[in-house]
Amino acid sequence: MAARGHVQDPNDRRLRPIYDYLDNGNNKMAIQQADKLLKKHKDLHCAKVLKAIGLQRTGKQDEAYALAQEVAALEPTDDNSLQALTILYREMHRPELVTKLYEAAVKKVPNSEEYHSHLFMAYARVGEYKKMQQAGMALYKIVPKNPYYFWSVMSLIMQSISAQDENLSKTMFLPLAERMVEKMVKEDKIEAEAEVELYYMILERLEKYKEALDVVRGKLGEKLTSELQSRENKCMAMYKKLCRWPECNALSRRLLLKNSDDWQFYVTYFDSVFQLIDESWTPPPEEEHSLEGEVHYSIEQAVKFIEERITEESKSSRPLRGPYLAKLELIRRLRYRGCNDEYKLGDPEELMFQYFKKFGDKPCCFTDLKVFVDLLPASQYTKFISQLLEVIPLSARAESEVALPADIKALQQHLCVVQLSRLLGIYHAMDKKQKLGAVRELMLRYRHGLEFGKSCLKTELQFSDYYCLLAVHLLLDLWLEGEEMAVWQCLTLLEEGLSHSPSNAQFKLLLIRIYCRLGAFEPVAELYASLDAKHIQHDTIGYLLTRYAESLGHYAAASQSCNFALRFFHSNQKDTSEYIIQAYKYGAFEKIPEFIAFRNRLNSSLHFAQVRTERMLLDLLLEANISTSLEESIKSMSLSPEEDDIPWKDLRDNRDLTVLFNWDPKDRDISEEHRKLSLEEETMWLRIRSLTLRLVSGLPTLSHTIQPKNSEKTAENGVSSKIDTIRSLLQQLEAAADSGKKFLEQKIQYPVLGPPPTRMAGFFSNGSCQCQTSLFYLVSDIYELDTNGLEDSAEIQERIGNSFKSLVERLTDLFNKCKGDLIEVRDGTLKTHPNLLENLVFFVETISIALWVSSYCDSVLRPFKSNLQKKKKKKKESSVAMPPIFTHFLDYVTELQTLTSNVIDHIKGLEIILTALKLEELSLKDTLLLQEEKKFTKTVQGKVQSSYHHSVQEIGELLKKRLDTIKKLKI
């Protein structure tokens, strides 16, 4: 191996073409080349593995696995075969096989540093912490390098983190890790910063804060240099844990003297000052105040210190915001404690005004002041805003015209004031006429501001974009107050804004929300794609897409949006393992628990569970009993009614509900209560959907032949337990539905830009819930008929016959709730009815479940009928009476067929109406619309019309396929 650098291994030369083919994605050629090579060199294991990789990538997983296991059984030790097998197993998502591979290699070549470290990393991929600890020590014995020793220590910490028993973690794993590091400290073998970090992490987890502080302040702490103020931050954390407020205060004071713009230290400084005041702390006589120097322990000292920082700031070469905001923060805290008047820090209104004069042209000015507006009395709001407006240099060409800014600086200042006005509720207090006037003014300012951004790139935002957003927020207020035209204007203005600022995510997100509210999903898919959501965003904002795609009848787009999300969640498993391995390699030990917490958080994500469940239901809806049988579909998804893989107790709501900018006052904004209720609602809906999926997946398990009236045999066949599972799931579904109904009685209204409500309300109100539950009860009755036979089951047959009748009635009711115009023109304004579209989608889903249940029915009744016909032939009688169940079932299937045909006709009618809708004839009489706005209004209304047309087409297509399956159900 040492000579490889000089003389190329002939095998490498032979394998090179196969590697090239695989790298270029030409898998078939790679397989052919490998076969050629294997004819000449039968023992070239690596060629076999490369052939297996080609087979795996062309979808022949079983052949690939068989080939790989053939080579693995020979326990290869050549580098090429091992590396190739590792790649193959990773592509197969079988990392546990890599560990077996290197375990065998290490036994054969016990002194190989390379194989030992590969074995360690293989264990890291599968999270085998105990074996990692042993592998790390084995490595250290072969090659005594510090990193290997600390790999072993870190693996002990990981065992402590993953241990179910916290007591075991604190009494065994962590103390052992501590002793291992102490041994290195005593022998003076600590070399790297990562090793000190690890020691600190162990002591912190053992709650030995005093010892951790000594380590950071001592000689070892000198190694902590990679992060700015790493040492100080760690000291501060330990002082807080130990409640050593004098040291906290002195250290934060010292750091603020160095940098008076570091906000985190102001917070610690104030916290510690008030803690010391509450404890009536006084400095010890004739001694240092604290380990860190002088301590401030009174309000007077704090006030003086902040005033000094402001004086210092005035001498600084660049303006610093920290000291001014610290003054406002101190006033806020003093007011909270009810002792503001004694210490004259100044009037908050005046201080905020001065702050605005200094920093008003910075976009951060609004977010800085937002935190402190509570300090203003409500009676002063209008006066405060007027005061701010007076200092902005605006100029009007004529007296009647709006005064506009002459440069970007003035524009930013004015924008800040407009945002503050919205936050203080000034816009909310206006009447309709004033609001429309304000919208007109904001749009005038927006269009004027575009002049300053003529040289902006497409990827940059226009300076005046917020004017447009604020105008849209005002129009949304009007829409909620019942002004139907306002919502179309929102879309018009946002589309106009997007044409000038194609990268503005806020425009896109708001468009997505409004289009979805109107029931138009088609434009949303394109908008979401242009957002180019990356990585974690599929979890945080993916709900905007997945909530509406299927419910608005865009099945293909729904499939695609679920795939996007699932691809991210599944790759997260693999990626996190790689991050952990990199963290070990580079000694970033403190990141490893973070990566694992991140993985766990994603695995228990609410959105992940929802997307998984909805995706499977959608696949069944689109394929089961159409392109494949229900049984095959369920088998391909590895679904089982007994298994519930959703971590209900640990579900995490990772949605970002504040992703849309909002300038509403606190009472109108999204509250913690809204978040809690939304999570509760989402979980209830997920439970209903998950139980529905599991009930459907139980249908094929019942369709096996049953020995009637032989309970022992049925128990052996496991079928009686299957029906018990179905009945138990049905009870759970009823309980979940009851909880959902109780929840909806609260009539919760989320803010318009808050979390979107689930589909639960429609599911109950249109009767889908009752229909689906009755269908699953019918399954139980049919099973009973199957077990008892036809002779003694007149009562069951009658019950089933009644169920059939009531089901047809319920389905007809559900269809009646789908009737009506999807888009209507009222007084020159468009009005959409997305609830009708959602009802249609629920109808399709319910009729599909009805058909799956009918197929089960069919599979039970068919054998009975053929037996009766055989009897007829034997007895040669024509008078063998047919049990009523057959007529009931035939009538039921015929009525289902008629009903489905009627719905398809209704949908064709909707298509004709939607096509005939002449939007351009709408008298957009609203004077607010300028000529350029009319162009965008046309676009918007066209998009909504096209989306509804698309929805209706997709629903119609699916129903036609379902109608074909009904026709096959005649016994």
Side-chain angles (χ1 to χ4, degrees):
M1 279 184 78
R4 184 182 280 184
H6 309 289
V7 182
Q8 195 187 7
D9 184 347
N11 282 344
D12 281 2
R13 198 181 62 250
R14 291 174 189 135
L15 295 167
R16 174 59 34 216
I18 310 178
Y19 281 119
D20 291 342
Y21 284 130
L22 287 172
D23 288 345
N24 297 328
N26 196 341
N27 298 313
K28 283 185 180 169
M29 281 303 292
I31 296 168
Q32 283 175 21
Q33 189 69 27
D35 281 332
K36 268 189 209 168
L37 193 54
L38 285 166
K39 277 178 189 165
K40 289 183 191 170
H41 306 276
K42 284 182 183 172
D43 297 334
L44 193 50
H45 305 319
C46 186
K48 268 188 192 175
V49 184
L50 294 177
K51 179 184 173 181
I53 292 176
L55 289 167
Q56 167 73 17
R57 290 178 185 175
T58 48
K60 296 174 182 169
Q61 282 88 347
D62 295 342
E63 287 179 53
Y65 181 67
L67 254 184
Q69 291 312 86
E70 224 178 274
V71 177
L74 301 168
E75 300 185 346
T77 53
D78 65 297
D79 218 14
N80 285 338
S81 301
L82 290 169
Q83 290 292 345
L85 276 167
T86 304
I87 291 166
L88 177 63
Y89 289 148
R90 214 176 293 171
E91 286 185 16
M92 288 178 163
H93 305 295
R94 299 285 302 273
E96 71 284 357
L97 296 175
V98 182
T99 58
K100 293 192 175 75
L101 201 62
Y102 279 103
E103 279 167 2
V106 160
K107 274 183 192 157
K108 285 191 174 178
V109 192
N111 287 333
S112 164
E113 179 184 0
E114 188 185 351
Y115 292 171
H116 270 284
S117 78
H118 279 309
L119 177 62
F120 180 88
M121 295 311 175
Y123 287 140
R125 277 197 183 89
V126 289
E128 291 262 15
Y129 303 125
K130 182 150 184 59
K131 287 184 176 171
M132 284 163 73
Q133 180 203 341
Q134 292 160 351
M137 281 319 285
L139 244 175
Y140 184 67
K141 280 173 188 163
I142 301 166
V143 189
K145 289 182 185 171
N146 267 22
Y148 298 149
Y149 185 84
F150 283 94
W151 283 5
S152 186
V153 175
M154 185 64 217
S155 305
L156 268 170
I157 296 176
M158 291 317 299
Q159 285 178 70
S160 90
I161 291 171
S162 60
Q164 301 295 323
D165 181 2
E166 201 178 326
N167 194 29
L168 186 70
S169 156
K170 289 207 169 158
T171 54
M172 189 170 112
F173 297 123
L174 288 172
L176 180 56
E178 184 190 11
R179 284 201 297 278
M180 283 178 74
V181 182
E182 277 175 354
K183 179 176 178 282
M184 296 297 267
V185 174
K186 280 174 190 160
E187 292 171 11
D188 201 19
K189 285 185 183 171
I190 298 278
E191 294 167 358
E193 180 179 3
E195 295 158 12
V196 182
E197 290 269 11
L198 195 57
Y199 191 18
Y200 174 80
M201 184 161 57
I202 295 167
L203 293 170
E204 193 180 12
R205 285 178 181 274
L206 279 167
E207 294 175 18
K208 293 189 171 183
Y209 304 129
K210 169 83 179 66
E211 290 82 344
L213 186 63
D214 294 342
V215 167
V216 179
R217 285 180 59 92
K219 190 179 159 204
L220 288 175
E222 291 168 13
K223 294 188 189 296
L224 300 170
T225 53
S226 67
E227 273 181 50
L228 201 63
Q229 294 169 334
S230 166
R231 211 170 167 186
E232 287 86 346
N233 286 331
K234 284 184 168 58
C235 282
M236 192 76 84
M238 290 305 102
Y239 287 142
K240 282 181 187 170
K241 295 271 190 196
L242 292 163
C243 294
R244 287 171 61 167
W245 300 113
E247 277 78 8
C248 260
N249 181 277
L251 181 57
S252 52
R253 189 189 129 276
R254 206 175 73 224
L255 290 165
L256 284 170
L257 289 173
K258 268 192 209 169
N259 175 9
S260 62
D261 211 28
D262 198 327
W263 187 251
Q264 59 170 337
F265 297 128
Y266 279 114
V267 175
T268 315
Y269 175 77
F270 291 140
D271 286 346
S272 56
V273 166
F274 290 117
Q275 284 284 353
L276 292 170
I277 291 169
D278 293 342
E279 290 170 11
S280 313
W281 185 87
T282 50
E286 301 167 21
E287 274 182 48
E288 277 262 357
H289 278 201
S290 73
L291 283 174
E292 299 287 352
E294 189 190 333
V295 177
H296 287 171
Y297 52 93
S298 70
I299 290 171
E300 288 88 343
Q301 285 172 309
V303 171
K304 187 177 169 218
F305 179 67
I306 297 302
E307 295 286 10
E308 282 169 5
R309 298 289 61 70
I310 290 174
T311 315
E312 284 291 312
E313 190 278 335
S314 56
K315 298 172 191 168
S316 155
S317 56
R318 67 182 182 90
L320 303 175
R321 291 146 52 218
Y324 298 96
L325 292 172
K327 197 170 190 179
L328 286 164
E329 173 67 14
L330 185 54
I331 291 175
R332 205 170 64 124
R333 290 190 181 219
L334 289 169
R335 186 171 289 187
Y336 177 72
R337 294 168 68 90
C339 56
N340 182 36
D341 297 336
E342 302 160 48
Y343 307 99
K344 299 291 182 217
L345 273 154
D347 176 23
E349 189 183 337
E350 180 55 31
L351 291 172
M352 284 160 88
F353 174 62
Q354 293 303 331
Y355 186 82
F356 175 80
K357 274 169 56 176
K358 204 168 176 68
F359 299 104
D361 59 330
K362 303 277 186 290
C364 60
C365 182
F366 168 73
T367 41
D368 287 346
L369 291 180
K370 183 183 178 180
V371 188
F372 301 110
V373 290
D374 300 354
L375 297 174
L376 297 173
S379 56
Q380 298 292 313
Y381 288 171
T382 322
K383 177 180 158 247
F384 175 63
I385 293 295
S386 310
Q387 196 183 359
L388 296 184
L389 283 170
E390 279 168 18
V391 295
I392 304 173
L394 300 176
S395 52
R397 288 184 199 141
E399 259 185 54
S400 57
E401 285 186 19
V402 174
L404 297 166
D407 57 16
I408 296 168
K409 216 170 175 182
L411 181 137
Q412 285 286 13
Q413 284 177 310
H414 189 266
L415 248 180
C416 179
V417 177
V418 175
Q419 291 175 78
L420 282 167
S421 307
R422 175 88 184 162
L423 180 71
L424 296 172
I426 291 169
Y427 282 122
H428 296 87
M430 293 177 174
D431 60 22
K432 180 187 164 184
K433 196 177 170 191
Q434 288 173 313
K435 278 183 182 167
L436 288 173
V439 169
R440 224 168 298 152
E441 187 194 321
L442 286 167
M443 285 314 289
L444 176 76
R445 291 185 178 284
Y446 166 66
R447 292 185 185 110
H448 167 259
L450 292 175
E451 290 174 18
F452 302 122
K454 279 180 179 166
S455 60
C456 285
L457 299 171
K458 271 192 171 180
T459 49
E460 292 176 323
L461 306 188
Q462 290 288 338
F463 296 107
S464 58
D465 277 354
Y466 279 6
Y467 281 128
C468 183
L469 269 180
L470 282 152
V472 171
H473 278 237
L474 276 172
L475 287 166
L476 280 175
D477 293 348
L478 285 170
W479 183 43
L480 292 178
E481 288 159 20
E483 194 63 38
E484 199 53 46
M485 190 60 206
V487 72
W488 297 99
Q489 225 178 313
C490 284
L491 291 172
T492 300
L493 299 186
L494 286 168
E495 289 281 6
E496 182 187 342
L498 200 57
S499 71
H500 296 298
S501 198
S503 294
N504 192 318
Q506 286 301 316
F507 287 160
K508 292 174 188 177
L509 288 165
L510 205 43
L511 277 168
I512 286 173
R513 284 303 296 271
I514 298 171
Y515 275 128
C516 286
R517 285 282 292 252
L518 292 176
F521 188 78
E522 199 173 40
V524 168
E526 195 183 325
L527 283 163
Y528 188 84
S530 72
L531 276 171
D532 199 14
K534 295 273 196 302
H535 201 257
I536 188 70
Q537 288 172 317
H538 288 300
D539 192 19
T540 56
I541 61 171
Y543 71 94
L544 295 170
L545 198 63
T546 51
R547 157 64 183 87
Y548 290 102
E550 184 191 350
S551 64
L552 296 174
H554 283 260
Y555 297 120
S559 261
Q560 203 179 1
S561 55
C562 288
N563 283 347
F564 275 149
L566 289 174
R567 207 173 299 140
F568 159 65
F569 284 114
H570 290 144
S571 68
N572 154 56
Q573 281 292 351
K574 198 166 74 212
D575 295 349
T576 313
S577 304
E578 296 310 311
Y579 305 152
I580 291 167
I581 284 168
Q582 295 306 318
Y584 270 109
K585 277 185 184 167
Y586 296 106
F589 297 122
E590 75 280 10
K591 293 289 166 217
I592 295 171
E594 287 176 29
F595 288 142
I596 286 173
F598 176 70
R599 178 167 66 194
N600 295 343
R601 182 169 176 171
L602 284 181
N603 286 344
S604 49
S605 155
L606 166 76
H607 184 56
F608 181 27
Q610 285 171 325
V611 171
R612 229 172 32 218
T613 308
E614 291 297 344
R615 175 66 218 257
M616 291 194 270
L617 278 167
L618 183 62
D619 282 352
L620 291 177
L621 192 64
L622 299 178
E623 289 163 17
N625 287 357
I626 294 177
S627 54
T628 56
S629 71
L630 178 65
E631 189 166 2
E632 282 168 12
S633 299
I634 284 166
K635 199 175 170 186
S636 72
M637 294 178 196
S638 317
L639 266 175
S640 142
E642 293 86 1
E643 283 172 28
D644 182 6
D645 60 351
I646 295 173
W648 294 105
K649 285 182 183 164
D650 305 318
L651 275 183
R652 291 290 299 265
D653 185 1
N654 297 332
R655 294 173 301 165
D656 181 357
L657 298 176
T658 53
V659 68
L660 286 149
F661 284 174
N662 201 338
W663 297 275
D664 287 340
K666 263 187 192 161
D667 57 329
R668 286 168 175 264
D669 204 357
I670 177 171
S671 66
E672 208 43 57
E673 184 65 11
H674 287 135
R675 288 169 189 274
K676 219 170 80 195
L677 289 165
S678 173
L679 173 60
E680 197 182 328
E681 183 182 345
E682 294 284 355
T683 311
M684 281 175 181
W685 178 236
L686 174 60
R687 201 177 285 279
I688 290 171
R689 300 297 279 167
S690 166
L691 287 164
T692 307
L693 177 66
R694 287 168 67 195
L695 278 161
V696 171
S697 75
L699 286 176
T701 61
L702 301 175
S703 301
H704 305 310
T705 47
I706 290 170
Q707 308 287 329
K709 297 199 169 182
N710 189 336
S711 56
E712 282 176 37
K713 271 204 170 171
T714 53
E716 272 172 43
N717 292 346
V719 183
S720 72
S721 64
K722 297 282 184 199
I723 193 70
D724 292 340
T725 306
I726 298 278
R727 284 171 183 155
S728 147
L729 289 173
L730 194 44
Q731 283 175 337
Q732 291 175 45
L733 179 64
E734 290 235 282
D738 289 342
S739 307
K741 284 171 190 163
K742 269 195 194 123
F743 179 86
L744 291 172
E745 280 166 14
Q746 301 173 58
K747 294 193 167 46
I748 293 148
Q749 284 290 318
Y750 300 112
V752 66
L753 300 177
T758 63
R759 297 164 64 194
M760 194 157 66
F763 182 62
F764 292 137
S765 66
N766 62 26
S768 300
C769 179
Q770 293 81 337
C771 269
Q772 293 186 14
T773 317
S774 313
L775 281 161
F776 293 123
Y777 272 116
L778 179 61
V779 172
S780 178
D781 287 344
I782 292 167
Y783 178 84
E784 213 173 311
L785 176 75
D786 197 5
T787 349
N788 292 338
L790 292 178
E791 286 83 21
D792 327 326
S793 57
E795 190 196 325
I796 300 173
Q797 290 186 43
E798 193 182 334
R799 198 162 71 220
I800 292 173
N802 292 336
S803 295
F804 283 153
K805 277 180 196 151
S806 77
L807 268 168
V808 172
E809 282 167 20
R810 282 184 168 158
L811 283 164
T812 312
D813 280 349
L814 175 51
F815 170 41
N816 289 335
K817 289 186 177 148
C818 303
K819 289 179 178 171
D821 288 336
L822 293 175
I823 301 179
E824 60 171 336
V825 179
R826 203 190 285 166
D827 308 329
T829 307
L830 271 191
K831 174 127 181 77
T832 61
H833 295 284
N835 58 315
L836 294 178
L837 206 50
E838 294 216 11
N839 288 350
L840 259 176
V841 170
F842 273 128
F843 177 85
V844 175
E845 189 179 293
T846 310
I847 204 95
S848 299
I849 294 175
L851 294 181
W852 297 327
V853 172
S854 304
S855 311
Y856 168 58
C857 234
D858 184 64
S859 70
V860 168
L861 295 180
R862 221 174 260 263
F864 282 142
K865 188 157 190 180
S866 61
N867 286 342
L868 279 172
Q869 282 164 342
K870 279 175 196 168
K871 275 184 191 172
K872 239 189 205 181
K873 280 178 187 169
K874 272 185 190 170
K875 293 186 178 179
K876 295 184 179 167
E877 286 175 33
S878 57
S879 61
V880 174
M882 272 294 188
I885 186 72
F886 295 111
T887 353
H888 292 325
F889 184 62
L890 275 174
D891 292 349
Y892 170 64
V893 170
T894 313
E895 284 175 318
L896 276 188
Q897 193 173 328
T898 315
L899 178 62
T900 311
S901 299
N902 291 344
V903 180
I904 290 171
D905 291 342
H906 170 68
I907 285 174
K908 279 180 190 157
L910 289 177
E911 276 191 61
I912 294 165
I913 294 167
L914 283 168
T915 314
L917 201 65
K918 296 276 188 286
L919 294 180
E920 58 271 16
E921 287 170 17
L922 275 178
S923 54
L924 296 168
K925 59 185 184 338
D926 205 302
T927 48
L928 272 176
L929 288 179
L930 304 172
Q931 202 49 48
E932 64 255 43
E933 286 180 7
K934 284 187 178 168
K935 178 182 78 180
F936 289 109
T937 307
K938 229 179 200 172
T939 312
V940 162
Q941 293 179 336
K943 281 181 179 179
V944 173
Q945 181 189 16
S946 157
S947 177
Y948 268 88
H949 197 261
H950 190 130
S951 297
V952 168
Q953 270 179 331
E954 282 209 42
I955 294 170
E957 288 300 315
L958 184 52
L959 266 181
K960 279 177 201 160
K961 289 176 187 170
R962 287 283 166 219
L963 183 60
D964 294 340
T965 43
I966 301 179
K967 289 174 183 170
K968 294 173 193 164
L969 277 176
K970 309 277 173 160
I971 311 172

